[in-house]
Amino acid sequence: SQQGEEDPQALSIQEGENATMNCSYKTSINNLQWYRQNSGRGLVHLILIRSNEREKHSGRLRVTLDTSKKSSSLLITASRAADTASYFCATENNALAIFGAGTRLFVKA
Amino acid sequence: SQTIHQWPATLVQPVGSPLSLECTVEGTSNPNLYWYRQAAGRGLQLLFYSVGIGQISSEVPQNLSASRPQDRQFILSSKKLLLSDSGFYLCAWRKSGLNYGYTFGSGTRLTVV
């Protein structure tokens, strides 16, 4: 069953703009992870945020976690055409990660 | 450094034929290993996971089975493929314990005809 649900399902922006994707979940978690998938490829781990953390940064990525609202957001700043991909959140509890259906991001050059 | 190998990249198989997909991990020991399936435009469905040699847990009852004959080898099999087995299969590993990310293989595109 799906735990995390990403919103929006698809997002189209211009290069240089910021992209924000959201993830909501239903049960308690140990951590939440974000992944990127280019078309036809495997997933690439971007960032992991633990349940006791509220915000993490990695380069142009900023992830927030609100456990009271059971939600997380991924912000990509100053987007580039190469950021075009699908982005998935995964919630982990009891050492198993459950992935959402993803947000498809298209960055126009 | 750790690497994960998954093959083949693409596979077209007739209905009723057997299946064997292999995944190996290098550069680590006693990894947790996972098989996921992804339908077109969808998220990942966890099929099997293993925390040790010979230890397999199934998340979804179906036409598939998994085996872990060696510490860093994970095999996904079927005796008779169904049309509904078509999809994108992904192998992944991560360190045992909590709060580690997953490393995925490059995937196998399986089309059952």
Side-chain angles (χ1 to χ4, degrees):
Chain A
S1 61
Q2 244 164 246
Q3 161 81 307
E5 293 186 6
E6 290 91 343
D7 172 64
Q9 291 185 330
L11 181 61
S12 182
I13 59 174
Q14 294 286 345
E15 206 168 28
E17 294 180 339
N18 295 341
T20 299
M21 289 159 269
N22 302 296
C23 173
S24 60
Y25 58 94
K26 298 178 181 176
T27 64
S28 63
I29 59 174
N30 295 120
N31 64 67
L32 186 144
Q33 304 169 38
W34 285 92
Y35 291 80
R36 183 186 72 227
Q37 183 182 35
N38 290 94
S39 181
R41 308 294 296 274
L43 278 72
V44 175
H45 180 252
L46 297 176
I47 200 162
L48 180 152
I49 185 165
R50 303 182 185 194
S51 60
N52 61 354
E53 297 176 313
R54 292 298 167 259
E55 187 171 314
K56 285 190 82 170
H57 297 256
S58 177
R60 294 184 295 113
L61 305 180
R62 173 177 170 257
V63 169
T64 61
L65 178 64
D66 187 335
T67 53
S68 66
K69 295 181 179 178
K70 290 187 169 59
S71 67
S72 173
S73 67
L74 169 67
L75 169 67
I76 303 174
T77 60
S79 63
R80 306 165 181 168
D83 294 328
T84 294
S86 292
Y87 292 82
F88 295 87
C89 71
T91 53
E92 185 166 49
N93 190 15
N94 294 326
L96 287 180
I98 299 176
F99 288 78
T103 292
R104 298 185 70 178
L105 173 66
F106 182 65
V107 181
K108 293 176 282 188
Chain B
S1 63
Q2 302 94 353
T3 56
I4 180 169
H5 302 280
Q6 186 181 343
W7 66 92
T10 59
L11 194 58
V12 180
Q13 292 284 97
V15 169
S17 63
L19 173 74
S20 181
L21 302 180
E22 189 164 342
C23 174
T24 59
V25 180
E26 296 178 356
T28 188
S29 59
N30 196 32
N32 288 356
L33 297 171
Y34 305 83
W35 279 110
Y36 286 88
R37 179 169 61 197
Q38 184 178 31
R42 304 291 299 276
L44 276 66
Q45 179 187 36
L46 178 62
L47 302 176
F48 301 94
Y49 69 95
S50 171
V51 297
I53 296 175
Q55 300 179 57
I56 307 295
S57 296
S58 173
E59 288 297 299
V60 182
Q62 54 198 326
N63 189 40
L64 302 170
S65 62
S67 63
R68 184 171 177 173
Q70 301 180 42
D71 181 45
R72 290 167 287 180
Q73 184 183 30
F74 206 21
I75 297 172
L76 182 69
S77 303
S78 173
K79 293 183 178 179
K80 289 186 178 181
L81 285 169
L82 306 172
L83 288 173
S84 58
D85 292 323
S86 294
F88 191 50
Y89 289 82
L90 289 157
C91 179
W93 80 273
R94 72 178 192 97
K95 293 180 182 179
S96 58
L98 293 177
N99 297 319
Y100 292 107
Y102 291 65
T103 301
F104 283 83
S106 54
T108 295
R109 174 75 58 193
L110 172 65
T111 303
V112 182
V113 297

